[in-house]
């Protein structure tokens, strides 16, 4: 599958801002942690996410108070909606449009990647991909890992990308794989498995705040907590 190439256009009171999208999820909101930072009334700290499903851009409202509208209807939170060509969504005072496979000459970008003279009048910047993290908690330790690679291994083996030195963790316990919708965790036939809310799982597309427990004994065994800055926050379960 080819990495989608697209431009996100945001307009507000006659001003247009455009961002190159690289095929990874991008978050929009007031918080500086977002891929695209928006200001103004009606914008939540973590307002919406742009994601790709089968190379088609989808927009997800993240439970914002003022909401996100598309084709005159308010989006149901946490549900992805496809963005067709020329469709315009509204977030607060912003109008949003995604242009897929635009006829751009990337050589026209300057060294900062901000201007595209003779092709686009709008300023252009690269939208930062959403940052994902995995927090690992054991009885006497707590570590935070930023997830960037396409695949990462979790295990007791020191060669693992995410090394968890605990007797309940197998040498190669689980694998994280990046998808257009975020990271998926897969159990690698480990001895103690993976539990989510008391239920054994073999694989799971991780949502913000998901707490994966090894062997189901939260007080003694390691916890793996996923954090997506553009997802709805959830407390430790």
């Amino acid at each position: 599958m080819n990495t989608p190439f697209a431009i996100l256009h945001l307009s507000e009171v006659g001003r247009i801002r455009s961002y190159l999208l690289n095929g990874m999820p991008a978050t929009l909101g007031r918080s500086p942690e977002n891929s695209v930072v928006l200001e103004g009334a009606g914008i939540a700290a973590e307002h919406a996410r742009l994601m790709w499903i089968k190379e088609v851009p989808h927009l997800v409202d993240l439970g914002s108070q003022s909401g996100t509208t598309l084709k005159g209807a308010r989006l149901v939170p946490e549900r992805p909606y496809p963005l067709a060509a020329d469709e315009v969504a509204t977030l607060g005072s912003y109008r949003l449009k995604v242009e897929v496979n635009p006829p751009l000459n990337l050589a026209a970008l300057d060294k900062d990647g901000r201007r595209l003279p003779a092709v686009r009048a709008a300023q252009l910047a690269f939208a930062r991909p959403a940052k994902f993290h995995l927090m690992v908690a054991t009885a006497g330790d707590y570590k935070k890992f930023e997830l960037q690679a396409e695949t990462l291994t979790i295990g007791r083996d020191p060669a693992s990308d995410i090394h968890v030195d605990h007797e309940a963790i197998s040498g190669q316990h689980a694998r994280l794989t990046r998808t257009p919708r975020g990271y998926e965790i897969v159990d690698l036939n480990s001895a103690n498995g993976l539990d989510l809310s008391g239920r054994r799982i073999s694989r799971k597309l991780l949502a913000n705040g998901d707490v994966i427990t090894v062997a189901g004994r939260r007080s003694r065994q390691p916890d793996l907590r996923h954090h997506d800055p553009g997802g709805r926050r959830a407390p430790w379960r």
Side-chain angles (χ1 to χ4, degrees):
M1 182 179 294
N2 296 325
T3 300
F5 172 64
I7 292 182
L8 165 64
H9 298 289
L10 289 166
S11 63
E12 182 197 30
V13 195
R15 182 179 63 157
I16 297 176
R17 287 189 284 163
S18 300
Y19 299 85
L20 287 175
L21 302 175
N22 66 350
M24 282 298 294
T27 56
L28 301 93
R30 202 174 59 251
S31 169
E33 290 187 356
N34 288 290
S35 310
V36 178
V37 178
L38 304 177
E39 299 176 348
I43 298 297
E46 298 166 346
H47 197 109
R49 179 195 293 113
L50 275 169
M51 58 192 295
W52 298 86
I53 301 176
K54 296 182 179 179
E55 300 187 33
V56 175
H58 284 63
L59 183 63
V60 183
D61 182 84
L62 299 173
S64 62
Q65 185 174 359
S66 61
T68 303
T69 60
L70 179 64
K71 294 187 287 190
R74 183 163 175 161
L75 304 188
V76 176
E78 305 294 344
R79 181 183 299 177
Y81 290 81
L83 284 172
D86 298 324
E87 282 188 340
V88 177
T90 303
L91 301 77
S93 59
Y94 291 88
R95 290 166 58 83
L96 175 154
K97 177 182 175 181
V98 175
E99 186 180 3
V100 180
N101 295 323
L104 295 180
N105 176 12
L106 288 180
L109 289 168
D110 69 9
K111 64 183 178 61
D112 297 319
R114 291 186 176 276
R115 294 184 182 276
L116 214 58
V119 183
R120 280 283 184 274
Q123 292 289 93
L124 203 69
F126 283 89
R128 296 170 298 162
K131 291 184 178 180
F132 301 96
H133 294 91
L134 186 75
M135 281 73 85
V136 178
T138 60
D141 197 13
Y142 178 87
K143 293 181 180 179
K144 181 178 180 180
F145 298 88
E146 183 172 340
L147 308 181
Q148 294 182 327
E150 293 289 334
T151 60
L152 302 102
T153 55
I154 303 170
R156 199 172 68 248
D157 185 340
S160 299
D161 299 303
I162 297 176
H163 178 221
V164 184
D165 188 13
H166 193 285
E167 61 183 8
I169 298 290
S170 298
Q172 296 291 319
H173 198 104
R175 181 177 62 247
L176 289 166
T177 303
R178 189 169 66 181
T179 77
R181 301 182 66 180
Y183 276 89
E184 181 182 55
I185 191 168
V186 178
D187 181 74
L188 298 177
N189 297 315
S190 61
N192 291 314
L194 301 170
D195 287 0
L196 176 64
S197 300
R199 179 174 58 88
R200 182 62 60 93
I201 60 171
S202 59
R203 63 194 311 131
K204 171 72 165 57
L205 181 66
L206 294 174
N208 184 51
D210 273 351
V211 179
I212 308 298
T213 306
V214 175
R217 290 180 292 175
R218 173 83 185 273
S219 61
R220 302 177 186 175
Q221 309 294 61
D223 285 338
L224 313 175
R225 180 183 180 183
H226 180 252
H227 173 60
D228 166 6
R232 179 176 292 174
R233 298 186 183 276
W236 286 90
R237 297 181 179 86

